[in-house]
Amino acid sequence: MIVPKPVGVNRKREEKERSEREGRAHADREREGREASSRDRSERRQEPGGFNVSDPDDLKPEDRIPPDIDDWLEELKRKSGLESSFDVQVRQMTFGHKRTGLLFLSCFTKDVSLTEVIKRLSYLDPESLRQGSSALKTFFEFYLPAVQVTVTNSMQKLIEEVMIGNTAFYVDGESTALIIDAKQYPTRTPDEPVLEKVVRGSKDGFTETLLMNVALVRRRLRDPHLRFEILKVGTRTQTDVAMGYVEDIADPKLVESLRDKIQAINIDGIPLADKQLEELTVKTDWNPFPLVRYSERPDVVAAHMMNGSVSVIVDTSPSVIVLPTTYFDLVQHAEENRQNAFIGTYLRWVRFFGILSSIFLLPLWFLFAEHPELRPHWLWFLGANKTGDLPLVLQFLLVEVGVDLMRLAAVHTPSPLVTAMSLVSAILVGDIAVKTGLFINEVILYMAVAAIGMFATPSYELGLANRIVRLVLLLAAFAFQAPGLIAATTIIVIWLSLTRSFNSPYLWPFIPFNAGALLAVILRRPRPKNKVRPSINRTKQNVKQPLATTERGAGESERHG
């Protein structure tokens, strides 16, 4: 028998269930409203070139811009050095009964642009201000004569933008400010690169200004898929770093890995620019060999980017980092591609011979001079009739140090005195040292050949690393004769084969072996034969010259011919 429940109990349960349903519906409506509001704010923020303001709720209370201009000025005194640093200045004016302020650094300000901004402020309609509309938005949309303008309601963001040279425009009663790009950096015109000179070809090189360097690359690579992502490194220096790549060619994993490494840097600053950034991202530690390539030439950087490489441009640096790189990338020069294929191949072989000579010539000559029984008959001319007053190994070490001292002296000596310094050094080392018996002629001769081979190395960093290798081989030959030289060479080759530059084998295409790529290193192929990109870069598009296009072009040439 079923006993009916009291009517009051059922009514209470129904009311409770109805209230719970209404509560859930109300919560759903509130959530949908918040999501819609969030979407609206997101859409407003993403509107290109519009008056986009972030949600104030996303900011900490102490990071919001004060709506009162007096409070704003007090914040600037505490956080930006206003009144304590002479170059931090505020220009206050009143327009439409509204107090305004322009915050800028006098050392970076473009006076003509800011004068035009102040002139246009007088065009503000006082009636629009009395009707309650935003004076800042009105000025932004109708009167502001500037190309690059953004909006912010973050005090920290405002100060950071001013510190890099922009100008902040503030209106009393507004909790937002305009960031106007009216800066000009000390700069110089593009000059011929110092380390990568060519006989024929462009003479413009990178400068210390990031925008100038980006423009030099874009001038040569007018691809809409070319991307330059701007990042900041250093809590104090706030150094601008631009990561460039061709979107439909570069390996996405390489781009993402590099971006993550740069964003993960937590340091107070990198005032020495690209070299410090390299050490923070590549983790070279004590490895003397360069794991990235530095270039001063925009055409070289553009060529590498078209092959799938990623470039890193650091503000205030006149050189650009190209990665990943291999040992054989570092021994190639732009001059080879400025000549025809035959001459380019000849120049490449001469350079290879000079680099190999700078590494192995001194250790081999020392080994044959100390142990004539190891010398082949066809190398009868190698050796020394007399060894001098000092042991040969000590002579080589002293000459190595002497060459480095002369190189450093040439760098630090004023240009008008370099020639005189070189003559004095040559006379002292090359003439007097031999006549007094301190050195023998052969040591000076072979050291000079090795030094020329080092200077012929296109990469300055690789030339210095090869010098360290030469010293290691020389000491190994002195300590353990021929077995020591062979063992040291083998260990260095194995070590380099295990070295990787952003997950790319350093000795590719020799180890791991790739016959086609190695042939392209040995021979400077004609351009029509160079149809594919290096596989080491793992590019999205491996083919540079589609077969159909090449065949169609050849057919048209035959018809016109």
Side-chain angles (χ1 to χ4, degrees):
M1 180 177 180
I2 301 175
V3 179
K5 295 182 179 180
V7 177
V9 175
N10 292 334
R11 186 178 297 112
K12 289 181 179 179
R13 177 175 295 178
E14 291 176 357
E15 291 177 355
K16 181 179 180 181
E17 291 177 353
R18 185 169 59 253
S19 63
E20 290 178 352
R21 287 196 301 270
E22 291 177 354
R24 287 194 296 268
H26 181 70
D28 291 340
R29 287 194 298 270
E30 287 185 350
R31 184 174 64 254
E32 291 176 358
R34 288 195 299 269
E35 292 177 354
S37 177
S38 177
R39 286 195 299 270
D40 293 341
R41 290 194 302 268
S42 177
E43 291 175 358
R44 288 197 300 269
R45 286 197 298 268
Q46 296 175 0
E47 181 183 353
F51 192 82
N52 304 317
V53 184
S54 59
D55 187 4
D57 296 335
D58 296 338
L59 300 174
K60 297 179 180 179
E62 62 271 14
D63 189 32
R64 298 173 185 173
I65 296 179
D68 184 76
I69 191 171
D70 294 325
D71 296 337
W72 181 66
L73 293 174
E74 290 297 325
E75 287 282 322
L76 294 179
K77 292 177 183 179
R78 291 190 297 106
K79 296 181 178 180
S80 68
L82 181 64
E83 293 187 354
S84 61
S85 182
F86 78 94
D87 58 336
V88 181
Q89 298 184 14
V90 170
R91 176 69 166 95
Q92 295 190 54
M93 299 185 73
T94 302
F95 298 97
H97 308 292
K98 288 279 188 177
R99 293 174 62 189
T100 64
L102 282 170
L103 174 66
F104 56 91
L105 296 180
S106 59
C107 56
F108 289 149
T109 299
K110 193 182 298 183
D111 295 340
V112 177
S113 300
L114 283 190
T115 301
E116 184 65 22
V117 169
I118 294 176
K119 185 188 302 182
R120 292 296 184 93
L121 279 172
S122 60
Y123 297 156
L124 278 174
D125 185 10
E127 294 297 328
S128 64
L129 304 183
R130 296 193 186 97
Q131 294 173 2
S133 61
S134 172
L136 206 64
K137 185 176 181 180
T138 302
F139 182 62
F140 174 85
E141 294 179 345
F142 298 103
Y143 301 108
L144 186 57
V147 177
Q148 298 183 16
V149 184
T150 57
V151 188
T152 184
N153 53 5
S154 169
M155 194 66 180
Q156 180 181 357
K157 178 68 174 177
L158 182 148
I159 294 176
E160 288 178 355
E161 291 292 334
V162 171
M163 289 300 109
I164 67 175
N166 293 326
T167 299
F169 175 62
Y170 176 86
V171 176
D172 188 21
E174 302 273 356
S175 59
T176 57
L178 299 182
I179 305 299
I180 305 172
D181 188 352
K183 62 178 178 292
Q184 57 179 3
Y185 288 144
T187 185
R188 61 180 176 88
T189 57
D191 297 325
E192 184 177 7
V194 177
L195 299 178
E196 297 178 272
K197 294 182 178 181
V198 294
V199 178
R200 303 183 65 87
S202 61
K203 306 299 182 183
D204 56 342
F206 291 120
T207 67
E208 290 78 12
T209 307
L210 185 142
L211 289 178
M212 176 73 75
N213 296 340
V214 171
L216 291 174
V217 176
R218 278 203 178 271
R219 184 182 180 186
R220 290 164 171 81
L221 190 52
R222 303 176 182 180
D223 189 350
H225 296 94
L226 178 60
R227 301 288 183 265
F228 284 102
E229 298 183 15
I230 192 70
L231 305 169
K232 287 188 181 296
V233 177
T235 56
R236 294 186 181 275
T237 60
Q238 291 287 309
T239 305
D240 290 324
V241 176
M243 184 177 66
Y245 58 94
V246 182
E247 188 177 29
D248 59 343
I249 296 178
D251 180 15
K253 294 182 179 179
L254 173 63
V255 175
E256 183 180 0
S257 173
L258 179 60
R259 183 191 300 117
D260 293 342
K261 289 185 177 182
I262 295 177
Q263 291 177 342
I265 295 176
N266 185 13
I267 194 172
D268 57 350
I270 51 172
L272 298 182
D274 48 5
K275 187 58 184 177
Q276 291 183 329
L277 182 68
E278 176 201 347
E279 294 181 1
L280 292 169
T281 54
V282 184
K283 310 296 184 185
T284 56
D285 295 329
W286 292 96
N287 187 352
F289 285 90
L291 299 183
V292 299
R293 177 173 181 175
Y294 289 93
S295 179
E296 299 177 347
R297 299 188 60 86
D299 50 359
V300 171
V301 172
H304 276 280
M305 293 175 67
M306 292 182 66
N307 282 334
S309 298
V310 179
S311 64
V312 179
I313 306 176
V314 184
D315 193 25
T316 71
S317 174
S319 57
V320 171
I321 298 175
V322 179
L323 53 90
T325 191
T326 65
Y327 187 95
F328 297 99
D329 286 335
L330 298 171
V331 296
Q332 299 182 34
H333 193 269
E335 181 65 25
E336 301 161 3
N337 295 288
R338 293 292 182 177
Q339 306 296 332
N340 59 51
F342 184 87
I343 299 300
T345 301
Y346 167 74
L347 294 176
R348 185 172 293 183
W349 287 2
V350 170
R351 184 172 290 108
F352 288 169
F353 175 77
I355 295 173
L356 291 175
S357 299
S358 69
I359 298 175
F360 294 103
L361 182 60
L362 289 186
L364 286 175
W365 184 88
F366 173 79
L367 184 64
F368 294 153
E370 289 288 308
H371 303 279
E373 67 278 6
L374 300 176
R375 182 178 59 200
H377 295 292
W378 57 278
L379 293 178
W380 57 268
F381 54 89
L382 293 181
N385 296 327
K386 58 179 182 177
T387 60
D389 298 334
L390 296 176
L392 284 179
V393 65
L394 186 57
Q395 293 184 37
F396 278 123
L397 293 178
L398 290 176
V399 174
E400 285 276 6
V401 174
V403 171
D404 279 335
L405 286 175
M406 286 189 290
R407 178 179 58 83
L408 293 175
V411 171
H412 302 304
T413 303
S415 299
L417 302 179
V418 170
T419 302
M421 186 275 301
S422 301
L423 291 175
V424 171
S425 301
I427 293 174
L428 290 177
V429 176
D431 188 19
I432 299 178
V434 173
K435 289 182 178 179
T436 57
L438 187 62
F439 300 135
I440 62 174
N441 291 322
E442 288 83 353
V443 170
I444 302 298
L445 172 63
Y446 291 111
M447 188 63 232
V449 174
I452 292 174
M454 187 196 74
F455 295 141
T457 306
S459 172
Y460 177 71
E461 294 80 11
L462 182 62
L464 295 178
N466 288 341
R467 167 167 288 186
I468 300 300
V469 172
R470 180 171 69 241
L471 289 175
V472 171
L473 296 180
L474 181 63
L475 294 176
F478 167 72
F480 304 104
Q481 291 83 46
L485 180 61
I486 296 173
T489 303
T490 304
I491 291 174
I492 291 173
V493 172
I494 294 175
W495 174 47
L496 291 179
S497 65
L498 297 177
T499 302
R500 304 182 76 83
S501 170
F502 274 85
N503 203 31
S504 298
Y506 196 57
L507 287 185
W508 184 89
F510 178 60
I511 301 175
F513 185 75
N514 186 318
L518 186 60
L519 185 63
V521 171
I522 298 175
L523 303 176
R524 208 288 274 174
R525 291 178 175 176
R527 186 64 182 176
K529 302 294 183 182
N530 191 6
K531 298 180 180 180
V532 296
R533 296 184 173 91
S535 60
I536 193 68
N537 292 335
R538 303 177 183 88
T539 56
K540 293 182 179 179
Q541 299 181 17
N542 189 37
V543 179
K544 292 192 288 187
Q545 301 181 39
L547 182 60
T549 303
T550 304
E551 291 178 348
R552 183 168 62 252
E556 292 178 356
S557 298
E558 291 178 359
R559 288 196 300 270
H560 288 295

